[in-house]
Amino acid sequence: MYEHFFQCPYCWEEISMLLDTSVQQQTYIEDCEVCCNPIELTPEFQEHELVGFSANDIEQ
């Protein structure tokens, strides 16, 4: 697992998420630990190193 810090696209607070490095590219939804809004996370790993990451709101 890899801990990554980023800014919530809703409340702009810095939060952290644990990311699974065993999957090269994935997209999933997690709630912000501060404001509880859903965030679409898209991490990309190569050889267990984070090479790309996006955190987007899911317009409701």
Side-chain angles (χ1 to χ4, degrees):
M1 298 300 277
Y2 178 88
E3 184 176 22
H4 182 66
F5 293 86
F6 61 95
Q7 207 171 36
C8 172
Y10 298 98
C11 68
W12 305 108
E13 290 290 327
E14 183 177 61
I15 58 174
S16 70
M17 297 266 172
L18 290 177
L19 306 175
D20 183 358
T21 63
S22 68
V23 181
Q24 282 191 335
Q25 188 169 10
Q26 53 191 312
T27 299
Y28 60 96
I29 307 295
E30 287 277 343
D31 289 341
C32 172
E33 59 192 35
V34 177
C35 70
C36 299
N37 282 303
I39 305 168
E40 181 182 69
L41 302 172
T42 307
E44 184 178 346
F45 290 93
Q46 287 183 358
E47 298 179 17
H48 299 284
E49 293 292 324
L50 186 65
V51 295
F53 181 84
S54 68
N56 301 304
D57 64 16
I58 58 164
E59 300 175 15
Q60 296 182 32

